[in-house]
Amino acid sequence: MCGTVTTKNPFPGMNPFFEQRWRDAHTMLIAYIRDALQERLPADLVAGAEEEAVTIAAGQTATTYRPDIQVREPWKLKEPAASAMAPHPSAMPATEPIRVLLEDEIERWLEIRDSTGRLITVLELLSPTNKLEAAGRDRYLRKRRSFINGEASLVEIDLVRQGAWLLPGGIRSVLQQAGASYAVCVFCAARPAEQLVYPIGLRERLPVIRVPLRPSDADLLLDLQPLIDQCHERGRYHLLNYRMALNPPLSPEDATWAEQLLRRQQLL
């Protein structure tokens, strides 16, 4: 690529190639959303990032998106010699196992709380690990139920094309009818009988969404597009592999549109 390649997001909305570096994108978007909320929140509310580590068990199916488990040849891990035990001359030699290294999956989300610590609103930015495997989907759905049962408002931001929709059935129908690639769903604890749905097409600018707070507060407006663009530029995402096939693949019409867009920006 020549020196005139743009460092800006080449797409008008969400960049589908972000999923190559979703761990980095997810972490930074959580921080950017937190900062954007903090600037606009009432003085007695605070937005904070929360996280928990989830160990992926050896029996679960691995995905090609992220290697949750590494399997290496027995004892060929180049450890310092001092860490090895010298065998006793008369002892039976130990059976050499395969050493399996488990990684923790870090799940992050945002919480808005008042000065007493009461949970007001949760913002979830979905990841492929939430959507691709049954265990991840079940874990996420349990967490969603716990937030709603605790009378917190919930904003679910799904900017990942991989995996199945995790939103309720009626909302999935709306998204399918709209031909959405992405979506935002807002549950307001003060209005539990309705949910706000933002279907997002691949070629569309990301929406300015309403974030509910307390019944006495006006909804906070959050513009997602500048945050995605900021993530692209600061993360040097112009260096992503824009020749790599997307999973799932785009429709032929969208693939042609995306290729033309990337060629105009000299990213192909």
Side-chain angles (χ1 to χ4, degrees):
M1 294 186 292
C2 68
T4 58
V5 171
T6 181
T7 61
K8 298 186 181 299
N9 180 11
F11 289 86
M14 183 59 192
N15 184 332
F17 290 88
F18 267 36
E19 294 179 45
Q20 289 180 24
R21 291 186 59 193
W22 187 251
R23 290 179 66 191
D24 178 74
H26 188 274
T27 299
M28 297 315 302
L29 285 171
I30 288 287
Y32 296 155
I33 293 172
R34 190 273 316 273
D35 291 347
L37 293 171
Q38 212 81 282
E39 294 174 357
R40 299 171 177 83
L41 282 174
D44 62 335
L45 296 184
V46 61
E50 299 291 332
E51 68 176 35
E52 64 182 5
V54 179
T55 299
I56 308 301
Q60 292 183 350
T61 305
T63 68
T64 57
Y65 180 78
R66 178 189 175 199
D68 297 313
I69 299 173
Q70 298 174 351
V71 180
R72 304 186 184 183
E73 292 184 50
W75 311 119
K76 295 182 180 179
L77 300 180
K78 299 182 180 179
E79 295 177 342
S83 66
M85 295 179 60
H88 191 279
S90 60
M92 181 181 299
T95 302
E96 294 188 349
I98 295 176
R99 186 172 296 186
V100 179
L101 304 180
L102 301 181
E103 287 192 31
D104 285 343
E105 179 67 42
I106 304 299
E107 296 190 350
R108 296 182 174 88
W109 65 95
L110 285 164
E111 295 182 356
I112 299 174
R113 294 180 180 267
D114 66 14
S115 56
T116 70
R118 183 169 66 95
L119 182 61
I120 305 298
T121 304
V122 175
L123 291 94
E124 284 275 8
L125 184 62
L126 298 183
S127 292
T129 50
N130 301 134
K131 301 177 63 179
L132 285 171
E133 295 187 11
R137 290 193 296 270
D138 291 345
R139 188 170 60 247
Y140 176 78
L141 293 175
R142 285 196 301 271
K143 187 164 67 166
R144 172 204 274 160
R145 285 193 296 270
S146 71
F147 289 139
I148 292 176
N149 291 340
E151 299 183 347
S153 295
L154 176 62
V155 179
E156 298 171 283
I157 303 172
D158 188 350
L159 300 179
V160 172
R161 295 177 59 251
Q162 295 184 62
W165 292 113
L166 287 177
L167 302 171
I171 295 173
R172 291 199 299 268
S173 298
V174 170
L175 298 176
Q176 290 166 357
Q177 291 173 9
S181 297
Y182 310 104
V184 176
C185 183
V186 179
F187 168 82
C188 179
R191 301 185 297 274
E194 66 175 24
Q195 295 196 41
L196 305 179
V197 183
Y198 299 84
I200 306 168
L202 178 68
R203 308 189 193 195
E204 299 172 0
R205 183 191 191 279
L206 294 180
V208 179
I209 65 173
R210 292 183 175 273
V211 178
L213 302 174
R214 297 166 296 197
S216 58
D217 298 317
D219 290 346
L220 188 152
L221 300 183
L222 177 64
D223 190 354
L224 295 175
Q225 190 61 57
L227 308 182
I228 289 293
D229 295 341
Q230 181 180 1
C231 188
H232 185 281
E233 193 154 5
R234 292 188 178 181
R236 299 187 178 184
Y237 286 5
H238 63 287
L239 299 177
L240 295 174
N241 183 358
Y242 284 102
R243 297 182 183 276
M244 181 179 290
L246 291 172
N247 180 27
L250 299 177
S251 68
E253 296 80 8
D254 283 340
T256 299
W257 169 80
E259 181 180 355
Q260 292 172 347
L261 201 65
L262 293 171
R263 290 193 183 281
R264 283 201 298 271
Q265 301 296 330
Q266 300 186 44
L267 292 171
L268 287 179

